Amino acid sequence: MDAPEEPLPPVIYTMENKPIVTCAGDQNLFTSVYPTLSQQLPREPMEWRRSYGRAPKMIHLESNFVQFKEELLPKDGNKALLTFPFLHIYWTECCDTEVYKATVKDDLTKWQNVLKAHSSVDWLIVVVENDAKKKNKTNILPRTSIVDKIRNDFCNKQSDRCVVLSDPLKDSSRTQESWNAFLTKLRTLLLMSFTKNLGKFEDDMRTLREKRTEPGWSFCDYFMVQEELAFVFEMLQQFEDALVQYDELDALFSQYVVNFGAGDGANWLTFFCQPVKSWNGLILRKPIDMEKRELIQRQEATLLDLRSYLFSRQCTLLLFLQRPWEVAQRALELLHSCVQELRLLEVSVPPGALDCWVFLSCLEVLQRIEGCCDRAQMDSNIAHTVGLWSYATEKLKSLGYLCGLASEKGPNSEDLKRTVDLLAGLGAERPETANTAQSPYKKLKEALSSVEAFEKHYLDLSHATIEMYTSIGRIRSAKFVGKDLAEFYMRKKSPQKAELYLQGALKNYLAEGWALPVTHTRKQLAECQKHLGQIENYLQTSSLLASDCHLTDEERKYYCQEILNFASQQTDSPGHKIVLPMHSFAQLKSLRFDPSNAVIHVGGVLSVEITLWSQMPVPIHVEQIAANVHFSIEKNNYRKTAEWLTKHKTSSGIITFPQEPAPFPASQNSLPALELSEMSERSPSDNSLLTTGIICKNVHMLLRRRESGSSLEAPSGLALEDGAHVLRCSRVTLEPGPNKVLFRTQAREPGTYTLRQLCASVGPVWFVLPHVYPIVQYDVYSQEPQLHVEPLTDSLLAGIPQKVKFTVTTGHYTVKNGDSLQVSNAEAMLILCHSENRAVIYTNTREKSSDASLRVQSSGRVTSISLPAAPAYHLIEFELDVLSPPSAPAARGNSDQPAQRGARRSCPEKPTASHCMVTTDHKLSIDCPWSIYSTVIALTFSVPFRTTHSLLSAGTRKYIQICVQNLSEMDFRLSDSSLGDTGGGADLQLVPLNTQSQQRVHSRQSVFFVWELKWTREPPPALHCRFSVRFTPASEEQLSVSLQPYTYEFQVENFFTLYKVKAEIFPPLGMEYCKTGSLCSLEVSITRLLDLLEVDKDEALTESDEYFTTKLMYEVGDNSSNWAVCGKSSGVLSMPVAAQATHRVHMEVMPLFAGHLPFPDVRLFKYLPHHSAHSSQLDADSWIENDSLSVDKHVDDAVDSSSVKSRGSVHSAASTEHRGLPMPRLQAFPPGQVFNSSTGMQVFVIPSKEDHVLEVSVT
């Protein structure tokens, strides 16, 4: 079955390459089953599992079945995978044993020996069974016998390598099952062969790559090996894996080029450093560029050849993967990287050759993508392709400039020769594009053929690129292309067309803050404006360039001189002014007022010193610097006195201006924040709020006019304000850097002056600062004369000399000699006259002007104060001593609290009542020489002392205690204390018990004085007393004026003792001491000490035959819960009004605690009948309400309650029983009339004896 020898065809590398499978044996048999085999094999996918943890993939297998020849088997060293047979199949349909032994067995043996000789283990024997032949042969063995013999002879350990295909040409279920088993086996063996051979190939390739540092290693050889692997992946339709192989080659080569640039070069790189002789661009219309591949294989390719071939393969695979936009992205990166790699490798490239190669490559990529996508896809993916359009435009521009096609005169002979050389390097047009009308080759050749053709192609490309950039929002890139277009127009001497593009580019650079592009564009714009004769625009641009620090000094001086040359020329219209913004000429740094608060009066002089930072490179002689001032009279401006303005104005006088953002205006998305401040105006007299509101300080920054798109650098509506208020400074030379400029003005009209503009004139050129920010203002006021009187301390103290400050604000009035203040004061207050009084005269800025003696004369209630002469808008200040009487208001009664009749309390520090001083107001009426009306001023004096009195008793002896509390912050010395009876009774004597003649009372402390009352006859019902004490400040030894003593008057009523109450507690019978829990006896003794007096004559007094009686109520209670009162705790008794009359009450009490217990409280009240005409009110300390008593029918019987605890129930029952009936009332005795001798006494109580059990739990 030897096949006739045929020459091997050459390997053609196309996308239709398939894995090779050889077929030996019966060729006619194979030919009959081939159509079905080639159709069924790729139908079902197979899972391909690869090594190194790579993810499995589903692939469809196809094969190229060729006749088996020994020449197809790989020889040693051959690494070509495309010609490698992955599987060998032997076909036979032998049914006869004799035929098998005669021919088939020998042919199989020979076939296997050849495979073994070439170490090929991937083989398969297919036995085809045909029922028709089986019927014709009578002596054939069963099918299994032939298959078994083949398996025994050739498949000892690999019985699965022999398969049976039954009736492959029939259409039956048995045939289909046979085909399925055969195809599954075939796919499995193919995959096993792929995995094994590809793995071995990858290992060999990896070993070869690891030898790249060894001498003699060739990148081209390695390139061919790894590309072979890429071809196999492509053959298996694994395009992503194939692309990875080319990307790895790309990265490896790029790294070697970078290392070469760093000084670490490989020897094989010298093959790619040969000069470039052809620049015909990328070839993307062929799947494989065999010409360039052969150049790489022969190591004759240039850098551009390698890059072109590598990218063409990547492009083909990306298009198979349906990623055309990645082709555009990679192409742009490739073109830029090739330019850099040629520089790194120092490859010799003719001028313009690289531009031709880039231009042709850009158009080739664009046309290749257009061939794969429709117009809608192209329009929606402009962002991916616009970079190639822009790069092609840039390179065409470079070629036009190089070949003289962009000049006004056209190309010369050298330019023509250069053009011919560049076209020769393109070579002949490739056959695949020869019939294309708009091929890149034809476009470039046509563009370089003439000036008109170049202009047409360049303008078309430029406008198309600008339109694409604009449509996708890349305005900056569009303006950059427009800037190149403007440069082209300037070369063509068409500045009117160039200006629009330059303005657009400049606006974009300014908005984004690109300093160097702004400078470069302004230079081009200045040249354009100069050619067009736009004087104002040119001067403005020149001023900006003269202040630009990115230019050299020579360039800055040139543009500055341009401005000076124009300023020195004589113009046709003498009054014409050219207004330019000042920020490029000079910057306002700071401003200083003198006076510093920027407040002056009418007729005053104000100095304004500004600091200007000149940005010009040379000194500039300025004819005039003017500051336009806006004058305004605000509402309620008459209220703005010098004092108000001084409080509300800054005191530093220096205003610093922020650094202007030169000259980059903020974009619309970065506007400054609102600067809001509260504005309020208060009345100078009572500090009441007049007006309030909110103002925006930077409204001129927020509402300023936006730049239009027509001309950003043109003066945008700058106008000179023309007003009557202008500050001028003439003939000033501004040196480069800081300069001081001084303005002086005299105020003539009151109001607020605001600096609006700052102008500097150099001939007809005026540099204007349209807005001064922060706002700069100064105020001019016209003030009425005023008099202000205020104490020098927080509060004026009565009784001692206090200093009061008089301030005369002259305002517009001039005080002359002889002018005086006539002060009419109250009789109680004195103005002390001293010979050493002096007055100090100040200016309105509080600078001392002079001082003079002050003459003060008092005549009765009028005090005349002669004022020293003082000019207008000055202050006269002097101090006088005033004295107010210190007496406290009179108090009545026996209470410890003084009466508050007709007096106010002042609490300057603490709100507690104990620290509030009594105050009195004294009004002064002052006649001023500048007014016909009197000025009324109230001075408030505080009495430094608070005095209380109390009545003390010891039996029938009486004492009066006076407490003097110092409420002020000063310490005083007290002396000559006395207490007298103003009634003048001779039978009453007050004996002082004070041992010290002088005492010192500190701040917030008290001093007590005590007198004993003694009388010989019956004392009066009321005692009128007057307490007096002298006081002086403890810090002063001697005063020049005699001070009045401090007095305190009060009245004591019913101060004598009427009743004496005595309580005694007795232990139970047979016991020495009281015991807790045991009933003890309590005896209360009430004794009348005096006979009938006038105070006893009230409704409770009852007259009998022998004596008078009165009703009393007693109550025994214990607020400290030491005792339990058993039985009656209160009752009403009839007491004879006679000396030594005694009534005793017995009751039982139980001590609740052991120890020394105080006695229970015993209280005594007057019991008034229900028909009393006078209803007495109880004090706050009363223990019972008036309506809680019931009416007793028997006067002599005691009305009692069971106990203190049950008193509420009695009250409730009584209230229910006697609702609507008149009830008796109780009246407390005044202090001193009842003396309880048991107060403070104690009784000893012992604890009761009880057994206690203590339980202790132990765990």
Side-chain angles (χ1 to χ4, degrees):
M1 297 198 52
D2 293 337
E5 296 291 336
E6 294 181 4
L8 288 176
V11 178
I12 301 176
Y13 293 91
T14 64
M15 299 305 299
E16 288 75 22
N17 287 332
K18 300 176 183 179
I20 296 177
V21 176
T22 65
C23 296
D26 191 348
Q27 294 297 320
N28 294 326
L29 174 63
F30 170 72
T31 304
S32 64
V33 300
Y34 174 75
T36 306
L37 179 61
S38 62
Q39 183 181 3
Q40 294 291 333
L41 180 62
R43 180 168 296 180
E44 295 293 333
M46 291 289 290
E47 185 181 29
W48 186 20
R49 294 183 177 272
R50 302 179 60 193
S51 57
Y52 299 107
R54 288 174 282 193
K57 295 183 179 181
M58 302 299 293
I59 63 173
H60 293 267
L61 293 174
E62 291 185 87
S63 296
N64 182 18
F65 295 93
V66 298
Q67 183 178 356
F68 175 77
K69 294 179 181 179
E70 187 175 357
E71 291 81 1
L72 292 176
L73 297 178
K75 300 178 176 56
D76 294 338
N78 186 5
K79 295 182 176 58
L81 282 176
L82 289 180
T83 60
F84 181 82
F86 288 93
L87 185 63
H88 306 277
I89 304 178
Y90 188 91
W91 296 84
T92 181
E93 59 177 353
C94 178
C95 300
D96 191 343
T97 307
E98 299 299 330
V99 175
Y100 169 74
K101 291 181 179 180
T103 59
V104 175
K105 183 177 181 181
D106 294 339
D107 194 27
L108 274 171
T109 303
K110 190 184 302 181
W111 175 69
Q112 284 221 341
N113 291 335
V114 174
L115 295 180
K116 289 179 181 179
H118 290 82
S119 302
S120 179
V121 295
D122 299 313
W123 50 269
L124 178 66
I125 300 174
V126 182
V127 178
V128 178
E129 182 186 50
N130 197 330
D131 291 342
K133 287 188 176 183
K134 196 182 290 186
K135 292 177 181 179
N136 295 331
K137 300 289 184 177
T138 59
N139 58 344
I140 61 173
L141 294 174
R143 175 184 57 83
T144 54
S145 62
I146 293 295
V147 174
D148 291 341
K149 288 187 73 65
I150 294 176
R151 287 175 177 171
N152 290 331
D153 294 339
F154 301 102
C155 309
N156 294 328
K157 296 181 181 180
Q158 295 176 317
S159 59
D160 59 336
R161 292 300 180 101
C162 180
V163 296
V164 177
L165 184 61
S166 301
D167 292 329
L169 301 180
K170 287 186 177 183
D171 187 9
S172 64
S173 60
R174 180 168 174 263
T175 301
Q176 188 62 39
E177 291 177 2
S178 178
W179 268 111
N180 291 339
F182 169 67
L183 291 173
T184 302
K185 190 63 178 179
L186 180 60
R187 294 187 189 110
T188 303
L189 291 177
L190 275 175
L191 274 183
M192 290 173 57
S193 179
F194 287 157
T195 304
K196 179 182 64 176
N197 290 286
L198 282 181
K200 183 176 182 304
F201 186 87
E202 286 180 338
D203 292 340
D204 295 341
M205 183 187 71
R206 196 173 296 109
T207 303
L208 180 61
R209 184 172 57 199
E210 291 173 354
K211 295 179 180 180
R212 63 185 180 274
T213 57
E214 298 179 2
W217 187 85
S218 174
F219 176 79
C220 294
D221 295 340
Y222 176 76
F223 182 92
M224 304 309 293
V225 172
Q226 189 159 2
E227 190 185 29
E228 195 78 23
L229 181 62
F231 283 151
V232 173
F233 284 126
E234 187 177 0
M235 181 175 62
L236 298 176
Q237 297 185 356
Q238 300 302 308
F239 303 117
E240 190 71 45
D241 292 333
L243 182 62
V244 169
Q245 309 308 315
Y246 286 110
D247 289 344
E248 290 180 356
L249 289 171
D250 189 352
L252 181 62
F253 184 78
S254 299
Q255 186 61 46
Y256 270 105
V257 174
V258 172
N259 294 343
F260 183 86
D264 183 14
N267 295 330
W268 53 266
L269 271 176
T270 56
F271 298 113
F272 298 99
C273 295
Q274 52 187 318
V276 175
K277 297 178 181 179
S278 176
W279 40 88
N280 53 359
L282 297 175
I283 302 175
L284 304 179
R285 302 174 193 260
K286 294 180 181 179
I288 301 176
D289 189 352
M290 295 304 300
E291 296 178 6
K292 288 187 171 54
R293 189 176 190 278
E294 291 176 359
L295 291 176
I296 297 173
Q297 191 171 11
R298 296 196 305 264
Q299 299 185 1
E300 297 176 0
T302 62
L303 176 66
L304 294 183
D305 293 335
L306 175 66
R307 283 300 186 185
S308 297
Y309 176 76
L310 189 56
F311 181 76
S312 68
R313 296 295 301 134
Q314 291 172 323
C315 174
T316 301
L317 294 172
L318 286 171
L319 293 179
F320 274 115
L321 292 170
Q322 297 182 356
R323 286 148 59 180
W325 314 121
E326 189 174 344
V327 174
Q329 177 186 350
R330 290 190 175 214
L332 193 59
E333 296 174 357
L334 167 75
L335 298 178
H336 285 286
S337 63
C338 280
V339 174
Q340 299 300 323
E341 288 175 351
L342 289 171
R343 294 176 182 172
L344 288 175
L345 296 179
E346 300 177 356
V347 177
S348 174
V349 183
L354 196 55
D355 296 334
C356 291
W357 184 79
V358 171
F359 178 80
L360 292 172
S361 299
C362 289
L363 296 187
E364 177 72 11
V365 174
L366 291 171
Q367 290 187 3
R368 186 73 178 92
I369 295 175
E370 289 176 358
C372 302
C373 306
D374 55 17
R375 175 50 56 185
Q377 290 177 321
M378 294 295 296
D379 292 341
S380 61
N381 290 275
I382 291 177
H384 298 92
T385 59
V386 67
L388 293 173
W389 285 104
S390 177
Y391 204 17
T393 305
E394 179 184 346
K395 292 306 177 183
L396 184 60
K397 181 193 74 170
S398 300
L399 288 172
Y401 290 177
L402 182 66
C403 299
L405 299 174
S407 62
E408 185 180 10
K409 298 180 180 179
N412 52 28
S413 58
E414 294 183 0
D415 296 334
L416 293 175
K417 182 179 181 301
R418 190 179 296 112
T419 303
V420 172
D421 294 339
L422 289 176
L423 293 177
L426 299 178
E429 188 173 5
R430 293 188 290 267
E432 57 268 18
T433 62
N435 298 325
T436 305
Q438 296 294 328
S439 66
Y441 182 87
K442 291 185 178 68
K443 283 189 175 183
L444 179 58
K445 195 170 183 180
E446 182 182 355
L448 298 181
S449 62
S450 65
V451 174
E452 294 77 11
F454 170 77
E455 183 174 352
K456 176 183 178 300
H457 282 280
Y458 177 66
L459 293 181
D460 290 345
L461 281 176
S462 298
H463 291 147
T465 304
I466 292 175
E467 184 179 355
M468 291 180 190
Y469 274 133
T470 306
S471 65
I472 61 176
R474 292 179 57 179
I475 306 301
R476 185 199 313 158
S477 300
K479 299 300 182 183
F480 187 78
V481 178
K483 186 169 174 290
D484 292 341
L485 200 56
E487 185 178 351
F488 171 75
Y489 281 127
M490 289 299 294
R491 282 176 168 263
K492 302 291 287 185
K493 301 301 180 183
S494 299
Q496 67 278 1
K497 296 181 180 180
E499 184 190 14
L500 180 62
Y501 292 104
L502 290 176
Q503 290 283 9
L506 181 59
K507 178 181 178 180
N508 186 257
Y509 293 149
L510 284 172
E512 297 184 357
W514 298 98
L516 291 177
V518 164
T519 302
H520 183 260
T521 308
R522 278 194 179 133
K523 288 175 63 178
Q524 295 176 312
L525 186 61
E527 182 183 0
C528 180
Q529 292 168 345
K530 188 173 183 180
H531 283 87
L532 293 175
Q534 299 176 357
I535 302 300
E536 292 189 18
N537 294 345
Y538 176 65
L539 291 178
Q540 179 177 349
T541 307
S542 298
S543 66
L544 291 169
L545 291 172
S547 61
D548 198 333
C549 61
H550 297 97
L551 294 178
T552 62
D553 291 341
E554 290 74 14
E555 290 177 309
R556 293 179 61 190
K557 290 178 182 179
Y558 167 77
Y559 289 108
C560 181
Q561 194 61 41
E562 289 285 295
I563 301 174
L564 298 179
N565 292 340
F566 176 81
S568 61
Q569 293 176 2
Q570 297 294 330
T571 59
D572 298 335
S573 55
H576 177 68
K577 297 178 181 178
I578 296 178
V579 181
L580 302 177
M582 182 178 281
H583 66 80
S584 60
F585 176 73
Q587 288 188 0
L588 182 60
K589 291 294 186 180
S590 63
L591 181 145
R592 184 174 64 86
F593 282 112
D594 186 17
S596 60
N597 59 358
V599 178
I600 57 173
H601 56 80
V602 174
V605 176
L606 177 73
S607 297
V608 182
E609 183 184 72
I610 65 172
T611 301
L612 279 178
W613 186 282
S614 175
Q615 305 201 94
M616 295 293 104
V618 295
I620 304 295
H621 300 285
V622 180
E623 298 177 2
Q624 175 182 281
I625 297 180
N628 293 321
V629 180
H630 175 72
F631 169 72
S632 63
I633 300 179
E634 299 180 5
K635 183 180 179 181
N636 297 330
N637 189 62
Y638 62 91
R639 297 183 182 273
K640 288 190 175 183
T641 61
E643 178 184 2
W644 187 93
L645 290 169
T646 303
K647 291 181 179 179
H648 291 76
K649 297 286 284 189
T650 178
S651 59
S652 64
I654 298 177
I655 300 175
T656 303
F657 297 92
Q659 179 71 27
E660 293 191 11
F664 303 118
S667 62
Q668 295 186 2
N669 295 329
S670 59
L671 290 175
L674 281 172
E675 294 186 12
L676 300 178
S677 63
E678 181 183 358
M679 179 190 69
S680 59
E681 185 174 359
R682 296 184 178 272
S683 171
S685 58
D686 55 358
N687 201 32
S688 62
L689 185 64
L690 297 177
T691 60
T692 185
I694 295 177
I695 61 172
C696 179
K697 292 185 176 181
N698 60 339
V699 65
H700 64 286
M701 300 290 291
L702 297 169
L703 301 182
R704 63 182 178 178
R705 179 176 177 268
R706 294 290 169 205
E707 298 87 349
S708 61
S710 58
S711 176
L712 184 77
E713 292 291 301
S716 55
L718 289 178
L720 287 172
E721 291 189 0
D722 192 8
H725 302 279
V726 179
L727 307 180
R728 290 185 175 88
C729 185
S730 302
R731 297 179 181 179
V732 178
T733 299
L734 296 181
E735 298 288 340
N739 298 269
K740 303 286 186 181
V741 180
L742 182 63
F743 300 96
R744 294 178 66 87
T745 182
Q746 186 173 12
R748 296 174 182 170
E749 189 175 357
T752 300
Y753 294 80
T754 305
L755 269 67
R756 289 289 183 87
Q757 282 188 351
L758 190 65
C759 309
S761 63
V762 182
V765 181
W766 285 71
F767 295 95
V768 178
L769 180 63
H771 304 288
V772 178
Y773 179 79
I775 297 175
V776 178
Q777 292 180 336
Y778 64 91
D779 292 281
V780 178
Y781 64 90
S782 176
Q783 189 178 13
E784 296 293 330
Q786 291 182 356
L787 173 64
H788 186 63
V789 180
E790 60 180 352
L792 293 182
T793 57
D794 294 337
S795 62
L796 297 174
L797 298 180
I800 59 175
Q802 298 285 281
K803 289 191 177 296
V804 176
K805 179 181 177 182
F806 287 74
T807 303
V808 177
T809 304
T810 61
H812 59 75
Y813 180 79
T814 301
V815 180
K816 303 173 292 295
N817 288 323
D819 288 345
S820 61
L821 302 178
Q822 304 296 325
V823 182
S824 299
N825 55 297
E827 294 181 357
M829 192 190 74
L830 299 177
I831 297 179
L832 305 180
C833 302
H834 300 286
S835 58
E836 64 273 7
N837 287 333
R838 299 190 68 81
V840 183
I841 302 174
Y842 298 93
T843 63
N844 269 358
T845 58
R846 298 297 300 177
E847 296 180 1
K848 185 176 179 181
S849 175
S850 62
D851 60 354
S853 60
L854 192 70
R855 187 161 55 90
V856 182
Q857 295 179 344
S858 294
S859 175
R861 294 176 55 190
V862 178
T863 302
S864 177
I865 305 173
S866 298
L867 298 176
Y873 298 102
H874 279 63
L875 300 176
I876 303 176
E877 291 185 357
F878 55 89
E879 298 176 1
L880 294 179
D881 289 338
V882 294
L883 182 63
S884 175
S887 298
R892 297 186 62 188
N894 297 326
S895 174
D896 286 350
Q897 298 294 332
Q900 298 296 320
R901 212 171 42 226
R904 294 189 294 112
R905 285 195 175 274
S906 173
C907 305
E909 293 183 2
K910 297 183 180 179
T912 58
S914 61
H915 289 167
C916 294
M917 291 186 286
V918 177
T919 60
T920 56
D921 293 336
H922 297 284
K923 293 186 177 180
L924 303 179
S925 178
I926 305 176
D927 295 331
C928 303
W930 54 80
S931 177
I932 61 175
Y933 301 102
S934 298
T935 301
V936 178
I937 296 173
L939 295 179
T940 301
F941 289 85
S942 302
V943 179
F945 303 117
R946 177 177 178 268
T947 307
T948 58
H949 68 280
S950 58
L951 180 65
L952 307 177
S953 301
T956 57
R957 300 178 66 179
K958 299 296 178 178
Y959 303 90
I960 293 180
Q961 177 181 272
I962 304 295
C963 174
V964 179
Q965 183 180 5
N966 182 9
L967 301 179
S968 68
E969 299 295 333
M970 296 180 60
D971 295 347
F972 292 98
R973 288 196 304 270
L974 304 182
S975 62
D976 299 339
S977 60
S978 64
L979 180 66
D981 180 17
T982 58
D987 56 343
L988 186 65
Q989 183 181 4
L990 294 170
V991 180
L993 302 181
N994 309 305
T995 59
Q996 298 181 2
S997 60
Q998 289 190 359
Q999 295 190 39
R1000 185 186 182 107
V1001 55
H1002 296 276
S1003 173
R1004 308 295 182 186
Q1005 294 187 3
S1006 302
V1007 173
F1008 294 88
F1009 301 90
V1010 180
W1011 281 265
E1012 183 180 1
L1013 288 173
K1014 293 184 178 181
W1015 56 89
T1016 57
R1017 293 183 301 174
E1018 180 181 349
L1023 182 64
H1024 300 276
C1025 299
R1026 177 187 178 90
F1027 170 72
S1028 173
V1029 63
R1030 291 188 176 275
F1031 69 98
T1032 57
S1035 58
E1036 300 182 14
E1037 294 296 332
Q1038 185 176 2
L1039 296 176
S1040 59
V1041 63
S1042 176
L1043 301 182
Q1044 298 180 13
Y1046 170 73
T1047 59
Y1048 171 69
E1049 295 183 1
F1050 59 94
Q1051 181 177 331
V1052 180
E1053 297 178 349
N1054 301 324
F1055 57 88
F1056 33 80
T1057 305
L1058 296 180
Y1059 296 97
K1060 178 182 177 182
V1061 178
K1062 182 179 180 182
E1064 290 183 303
I1065 298 178
F1066 301 99
L1069 294 176
M1071 298 181 64
E1072 184 179 1
Y1073 298 103
C1074 295
K1075 184 184 297 183
T1076 58
S1078 300
L1079 293 177
C1080 301
S1081 177
L1082 171 65
E1083 180 182 301
V1084 179
S1085 175
I1086 303 173
T1087 304
R1088 173 79 183 194
L1089 299 181
L1090 297 176
D1091 292 329
L1092 180 65
L1093 297 177
E1094 190 67 26
V1095 297
D1096 295 317
K1097 297 177 180 181
D1098 51 15
E1099 293 83 354
L1101 186 67
T1102 304
E1103 184 178 2
S1104 63
D1105 295 338
E1106 299 178 359
Y1107 52 83
F1108 289 91
T1109 61
T1110 184
K1111 287 186 177 293
L1112 302 178
M1113 181 177 179
Y1114 68 91
E1115 194 271 339
V1116 178
D1118 185 18
N1119 293 331
S1120 59
S1121 301
N1122 292 322
W1123 301 89
V1125 182
C1126 303
K1128 297 188 298 181
S1129 62
S1130 62
V1132 178
L1133 54 89
S1134 181
M1135 188 71 185
V1137 183
Q1140 301 304 319
T1142 303
H1143 190 95
R1144 289 181 173 83
V1145 179
H1146 295 273
M1147 62 186 68
E1148 291 181 339
V1149 294
M1150 179 188 293
L1152 302 179
F1153 302 98
H1156 293 276
L1157 302 183
F1159 276 42
D1161 299 329
V1162 180
R1163 299 181 182 179
L1164 200 64
F1165 301 92
K1166 281 187 178 182
Y1167 187 84
L1168 302 179
H1170 64 271
H1171 55 79
S1172 174
H1174 176 70
S1175 178
S1176 301
Q1177 301 295 331
L1178 297 180
D1179 291 345
D1181 295 333
S1182 184
W1183 62 277
I1184 193 169
E1185 295 180 2
N1186 293 336
D1187 58 355
S1188 65
L1189 299 176
S1190 61
V1191 180
D1192 188 6
K1193 296 180 180 179
H1194 305 283
V1195 177
D1196 295 336
D1197 296 339
V1199 179
D1200 60 344
S1201 58
S1202 61
S1203 66
V1204 176
K1205 187 175 182 180
S1206 63
R1207 188 181 304 119
S1209 62
V1210 173
H1211 157 67
S1212 176
S1215 300
T1216 306
E1217 181 182 355
H1218 303 285
R1219 181 174 299 171
L1221 297 179
M1223 306 298 291
R1225 290 177 175 84
L1226 299 180
Q1227 181 179 357
F1229 284 98
Q1233 289 190 352
V1234 177
F1235 177 70
N1236 191 343
S1237 62
S1238 301
T1239 301
M1241 294 181 62
Q1242 294 179 337
V1243 60
F1244 181 62
V1245 178
I1246 62 176
S1248 60
K1249 294 183 178 180
E1250 295 182 0
D1251 295 333
H1252 297 278
V1253 178
L1254 178 64
E1255 295 183 1
V1256 179
S1257 176
V1258 180
T1259 59

